[in-house]
Structures are given as C-alpha cells and as structure tokens.
Amino acid sequence: MGLRFTVLASGSTGNATVVQSGDVKLLIDVGFSAKKMDQMMKERDVAGSELDGIMITHEHSDHIKGLGAFARKYDLPIYANEKTWEALNQQIGAIAEENKIVMDTGTMQDFGTLKVESFGISHDAAEPVGYCFYEGEQKLSLATDLGYMSSKVKEKVVDSDALILETNHDIEMLRMGHYPWSIKRRILGDKGHLSNEAAGEALSEVLSGQTKAVYMAHLSRDHNLMDLARLTVNNIVEDHGISLESQKVRLMDTYFDRPTKWDEMGQE
Ligand SMILES: [Zn+2]
Ligand SMILES: [Zn+2]
C-alpha cells in the first residue's frame, strides 16, 4: 500500500492537492469554491465524502477560498496551527468545534499508517507551513508559498521520493513586469514566493538519490512560463553538477486550472 497524490490545481488563482494512502485520503488546501473542488476531484475519481481531513498551509485566499463551504458540506476535520486558526476563524464561517483540529507546527499527525508532519516556512501569513507525508519507506513533501528555502526546510524535504516545490516566477520577468514596485518587492522578499532560480538552487542541495519526481508548483501566470521554469531549474542543478536525466528525476508540470495525473510514486 503506497502513497499517491494529485495536484488538483496550483497557482495564485487557487491551490489544492489530494494525498492518498490506502483508504486514507487527505486534502491539502481548498483554494477553490466547493463546486469547483468537487469538479476537480471528480476528474481524479475522488469524492469529498471519502476524505478524512483537510490540512491547511496558510490562510491566503488562494488556499482557503472554498474551505468553509467544502468542510461543512462533507463534515470534514480541518488541521491547522493556532495562529492560522485565529486568521481562519474570521474568514471561513462557522465550523463545528470537533472539526477544528489544532496541529502545532513541527508535530506529526497519524492517519492510520500515514503520518503527516508540518514544518514552518517563511511567507507573509500568520504561521505558514509545508507538509511531509510518510508511508512506510515513502515520503512526499510539499513546499510552496515561501520566500526562501531555509536550511531547516531543506532538512525537512531532503530524501523525499517526490517533492512539490514552488517555482513561482522568473526574477527578470517579474522585475520587468507591470506590477507596482511594492508588490514586486513583496514577492521577491524573504516572505514572498520562491523564484525559479531559488528553487533550482535549493534543489541542487536537496536532490538526493531518493528523489524521483519534482513538481514545479504555484507558477505566476504573469511572470513565469512552464518551459522557462523547467529550463532554469535544469540549468541551475546542472551548474551544480547534477543531471536530472542520469539521476532519473522527473521534473513535472502542475496547472492552474486542472489536475495532474495521479502520481503513484514508483509503485505502478
Ligand atoms: Zn499561494
Ligand atoms: Zn500565500
């Protein structure tokens, strides 16, 4: 019984991912209306009623837009840390007390044999986190919405079989783009978003023999292109003497409007 996952959608217009291990199915973030969530999950044969819980990374609307309505519809427990809960409470409407689960950053939550661990990331939200999922020998990590990859985050995601990693923008495209400077500075800052370049640099440090798939996520539609992200990441890791091809690492796309295929993490 192995881990598998699908990134339902990723980007500044909305984020959601489903992780499954056997009978256990978890949703990470609910960045779309309940109706749109149902549609995307249906495309991957998952029903809201089959979910065991929702893990929240942070309270920005592209991660929680449909959270209240969706959680109420299927009576699902929501996992988030205390500060994120404080921010969520004003935004998502009434949630049954028993479905408000406080999961402190850095702790582990068990769902049968599937273990989920959160870790802190640097982003302009109350207490943003990424997640690692462990099943047997398998490990999946998710790190998006982060201004930079701290050594702590690198330690957490190293040795993942699959990694969902933010490649938000091309630095030059962002600089040249039409956004006001204050917003550019926010995105480029320590609590903003990870550039293609920074993702490539981070990857060259965390790509161990274990990692076989890297999903490029949360791409800006204004300041990035999938091919450019791919090229930049490839070039930077090559500069560090790593060949994705010879290490058999799959560099995978995510989409802002549709799900990736189920990734069976080498267990097909
Ligand atoms: Zn986001
Ligand atoms: Zn965010």
Side-chain angles (χ1 to χ4, degrees):
M1 190 165 60
L3 271 180
R4 67 175 192 156
F5 67 96
T6 166
V7 179
L8 294 177
S10 183
S12 54
T13 44
N15 296 273
T17 296
V18 177
V19 177
Q20 178 179 3
S21 171
D23 291 339
V24 178
K25 294 188 180 95
L26 299 173
L27 180 61
I28 300 86
D29 289 340
V30 192
F32 298 88
S33 70
K35 191 179 162 193
K36 175 85 178 155
M37 288 299 304
D38 281 335
Q39 279 171 9
M40 290 193 304
M41 292 203 306
K42 202 174 168 210
E43 279 188 59
R44 290 293 168 266
D45 280 320
V46 185
S49 56
E50 297 167 1
L51 293 170
D52 296 279
I54 302 172
M55 326 297 298
I56 297 299
T57 61
H58 64 298
E59 73 280 11
H60 288 163
S61 64
D62 57 320
H63 298 260
I64 63 146
K65 189 175 175 203
L67 175 60
F70 190 82
R72 278 187 290 278
K73 183 173 179 185
Y74 297 110
D75 192 25
L76 294 170
I78 303 168
Y79 297 81
N81 57 47
E82 189 84 56
K83 281 191 179 144
T84 302
W85 268 118
E86 283 169 23
L88 285 176
N89 280 330
Q90 306 141 18
Q91 295 185 61
I92 63 170
I95 297 291
E97 281 306 316
E98 71 265 23
N99 282 338
K100 291 185 180 183
I101 317 284
V102 175
M103 179 175 170
D104 292 332
T105 301
T107 60
M108 190 90 87
Q109 193 81 39
D110 293 358
F111 298 87
T113 53
L114 171 63
K115 297 185 188 325
V116 185
E117 182 185 27
S118 66
F119 56 87
I121 54 174
S122 176
H123 189 54
D124 55 354
E127 193 180 333
V129 297
Y131 288 102
C132 294
F133 302 85
Y134 304 89
E135 174 67 67
E137 297 286 289
Q138 288 182 301
K139 177 177 176 183
L140 163 69
S141 300
L142 180 148
T144 69
D145 297 75
L146 63 175
Y148 73 104
M149 285 275 271
S150 67
S151 46
K152 251 186 167 166
V153 172
K154 287 176 199 158
E155 265 168 44
K156 280 295 162 195
V157 306
V158 79
D159 274 336
S160 299
D161 298 273
L163 171 60
I164 302 166
L165 179 65
E166 175 163 48
T167 51
N168 179 263
H169 56 275
D170 175 81
I171 294 173
E172 210 47 41
M173 273 180 86
L174 178 65
R175 282 192 206 280
M176 305 289 281
H178 66 273
Y179 284 13
W181 175 240
S182 59
I183 295 181
K184 290 183 184 177
R185 201 165 53 189
R186 185 212 143 220
I187 297 172
L188 289 165
D190 271 2
K191 294 192 163 188
H193 289 278
L194 206 65
S195 66
N196 298 339
E197 292 86 344
E201 290 293 339
L203 265 184
S204 16
E205 287 183 55
V206 302
L207 270 185
S208 67
Q210 194 68 25
T211 305
K212 291 296 168 232
V214 176
Y215 280 70
M216 297 176 287
H218 214 297
L219 267 75
S220 162
R221 286 160 73 180
D222 294 321
H223 305 117
N224 210 351
L225 298 162
M226 193 43 86
D227 288 343
L228 182 59
R230 178 178 293 278
L231 191 71
T232 305
V233 168
N234 240 315
N235 286 346
I236 291 175
V237 298
E238 265 179 27
D239 284 348
H240 289 269
I242 300 164
S243 160
L244 297 180
E245 207 181 345
S246 61
Q247 283 200 23
K248 295 196 168 62
V249 180
R250 293 175 289 133
L251 202 51
M252 304 295 290
D253 296 345
T254 63
Y255 314 101
F256 69 89
D257 60 348
R258 62 195 160 96
T260 60
K261 287 185 184 152
W262 280 106
D263 192 312
E264 310 285 346
M265 296 181 62
Q267 305 254 317
E268 274 154 295

